[in-house]
Amino acid sequence: MAKDETVLEKTAPAYVADDPNADLAHTTDVVDGLHRRLSNRQIQWIAIGGSIGTALFVSIAWGLVEGGPGSLFIAFTLYCGILALANNCMAEMTVFMPVVGGWVRMGSKWVDEAYGFMAGWNFFLYEAVLIPFEISALNLVLTFWRDDIPVAAVVSGCIVLYAIINLFAVRAYGESEFWLASGKVILIFMLFCFTFVTMVGGNPKHDAYGFRYWNNPGSFAEYIHTGSLGRFEGFLGAFFQASFTCVGPEYVAMVAGEAIYPRKTIKTAFKTMYFRFGLFFIMGALCVGIILPYNDPTLTGLLDAGDTGTGAASPYVIAMKNMGISVLPDLTNALMVTSIFSAGNSYVYCATRTLYSLSLDGHAPRFLRKTTRAGVPIYCFCVTMVFPLLGFLSVGRAASEGVKWLANVTQAAQLMNYIIMCTIYLCFYRALKVQGYSRDSLPYKGWGQPYVAVAGVILFSVVLAIYGYATFYDFDVGTFMTYYAMCFIDIVLWTGFKLWKRTSFVKPEDADLVWERPSIDAYEASIDAPLGLWEDIWLTITFQKKKVKEEDA
């Protein structure tokens, strides 16, 4: 390579599309056996759908009861700020290298192969175990209307629908998530409007209650202990609830390998993530603290009885019933059903793609690399669909508790994901610096780096270390393992693979910063820019023919 070409490579890491030596195959939208078919609107709505989960409507009640409305609002605001650190790291890396598997494979390329192995199996187990958990939650929400709905029929129906959606081309998944995520958006804005209208007196009792519950019973609840310590522990309870309610960056990163024109669509999804944090999570926490006191007898009774998965435990539904509002609770519960189904659908997709990315790097059996002509990792899908079968355990109460226990055990994996992302970024940043790349020439440059990544590693590690602190008051091995088992599993995965394969940490000068970049650059140079988001949505909802012709999946 000539000297001037070397300078170009270092200052503006891009692939020259008209290079006569370029492989013409690079212009295809098929990458690693998968197809780039997710459109702009589908990507943005998948990002929304991945952010809004059932926890925002139901499980958030725990944060209210333990911390009170003030602690709940502060906790969600603080945690969203911390989560923004991970989003900032993932945005820069993913837009630069939008590959199949996202950060899972970046760990192998830029940190250590054993680290990528651990990252991949950590995320796969987390996503796969949540599939039967969401199916169980769906069964509970359906009991809002009647108790005699056959559990096995619901589980079977979910499995069949997940199979239908995920066995077709990725565009089918994207289209289903677009409409399901639209239901989530409608639900949350409906609940925001409900909060505002009723708090100013627009309710059957004509009671303009405003922020009454912030004064009586108060803004800060006591939890475990009394006094200042109890109020601080109440804040921690709300904060830990926020840490398992607020998500997002991982789902955007996971779809990057199948996104049309990823450098634009994925960048938009990451940049608007901060807006979603503020609108959905922080506003959601504020609304919950407005409509219901933390000592509401109906809410505390349901939580004490363990009915945390039913729609009746939603603070919104309880508030509607307290005000004597009919119909709206049924509509809210119906939209929650679609929200839960969408969450399970996302978990099936992410678990399948994670397992596939593991197979690409040799961290899972090679036969899992098999894809259909439509670009679906068929054997990875079959393995993933073993986990929804655990949903049949919901037929028995004891077995159902086992499913919940598995889901709780893997919760630490979510915090581990963000620690892994920030750690990978630090190695990526160091490799850029050592190899002479200018971050100003990257397609997206994160803010405040590398200090943001360092802060992310520290803060997420602190949260992970203390989130099970209550178990030490009355130590029990089973409870302790519920909180921290995944940490020990990750240590075993990392050290075991490292000893088995004798891997070493990737030196910054050896980190592969070219990788799939040439094929991605050539692909984007060979197609037109995608439709604008709102233009794409308008043409979709009005059933008009799109201006940009897309190939059928």
Side-chain angles (χ1 to χ4, degrees), residues 34 99-106 253-254 256-257 353-354 357-358 360:
L34 305 184
V99 296
V100 174
W103 80 96
V104 170
R105 298 180 68 200
M106 293 172 186
M254 197 51 61
R353 268 47 179 190
T354 304
S357 68
L358 284 167
L360 290 177

Side-chain angles (χ1 to χ4, degrees), residues 1-2 5 15-26 518 522:
M1 181 179 287
E5 291 177 312
Y15 174 75
V16 182
D18 58 358
D19 186 340
N21 296 320
D23 185 350
L24 293 178
H26 286 154

Side-chain angles (χ1 to χ4, degrees), residues 54-297:
T54 313
L56 188 59
F57 308 119
V58 181
S59 303
I60 195 174
W62 279 112
L64 177 64
V65 169
E66 293 176 0
S71 289
L72 187 69
F73 178 70
I74 295 171
F76 270 71
T77 302
L78 178 60
Y79 188 76
C80 282
I82 297 174
L83 188 56
L85 305 180
N87 185 73
N88 186 43
C89 294
M90 277 310 305
E92 184 172 318
M93 293 190 296
T94 306
V95 175
F96 172 72
M97 195 72 71
V99 296
V100 174
W103 80 96
V104 170
R105 298 180 68 200
M106 293 172 186
S108 296
K109 290 286 186 179
W110 300 335
V111 183
D112 172 28
E113 190 177 355
Y115 201 71
F117 177 83
M118 177 199 71
W121 284 105
N122 176 80
F123 190 61
F124 172 76
L125 292 173
Y126 170 67
E127 294 292 301
V129 169
L130 284 178
I131 302 171
F133 177 76
E134 291 296 331
I135 294 176
S136 298
L138 182 60
N139 271 306
L140 287 172
V141 168
L142 290 175
T143 61
F144 176 83
W145 289 296
R146 53 190 302 167
D147 298 325
D148 58 349
I149 299 176
V151 173
V154 175
V155 175
S156 300
C158 286
I159 292 174
V160 170
L161 289 174
Y162 289 154
I164 292 174
I165 292 172
N166 286 274
L167 273 178
F168 288 101
V170 68
R171 187 180 296 169
Y173 164 77
E175 200 63 33
S176 67
E177 277 303 296
F178 172 76
W179 294 105
L180 289 171
S182 296
K184 292 184 180 182
V185 173
I186 291 172
L187 172 60
I188 197 164
F189 277 107
M190 182 183 78
L191 296 177
F192 287 169
C193 291
F194 161 77
T195 301
F196 177 75
V197 171
T198 58
M199 73 182 290
V200 297
N203 57 74
K205 296 182 179 181
H206 304 291
D207 179 17
Y209 56 89
F211 285 85
R212 175 186 303 161
Y213 302 131
W214 288 57
N215 295 317
N216 183 24
S219 300
F220 302 96
E222 297 175 343
Y223 178 59
I224 301 181
H225 293 91
T226 59
S228 299
L229 176 60
R231 286 188 289 273
F232 177 69
E233 289 180 310
F235 166 76
L236 289 180
F239 184 79
F240 297 145
Q241 181 59 51
S243 70
F244 298 119
T245 300
C246 307
V247 294
E250 60 269 46
Y251 296 102
V252 178
M254 197 51 61
V255 301
E258 296 175 273
I260 293 174
Y261 217 105
R263 296 264 170 71
K264 181 174 182 179
T265 56
I266 295 300
K267 179 165 66 174
T268 301
F270 274 117
K271 290 175 69 175
T272 55
M273 188 69 69
Y274 306 106
F275 169 76
R276 287 190 286 274
F277 289 161
L279 180 62
F280 298 141
F281 298 132
I282 298 175
M283 280 293 295
L286 178 63
C287 289
V288 167
I290 290 174
I291 61 173
L292 207 64
Y294 65 76
N295 62 351
D296 181 86

Side-chain angles (χ1 to χ4, degrees), residues 16 74 117 225 229 246 301 313 386 446 457 492 524 541-542 547:
V16 182
I74 295 171
F117 177 83
H225 293 91
L229 176 60
C246 307
V386 171
V457 171
V492 170
E524 292 193 333
I541 64 178
T542 56
K547 296 179 181 179

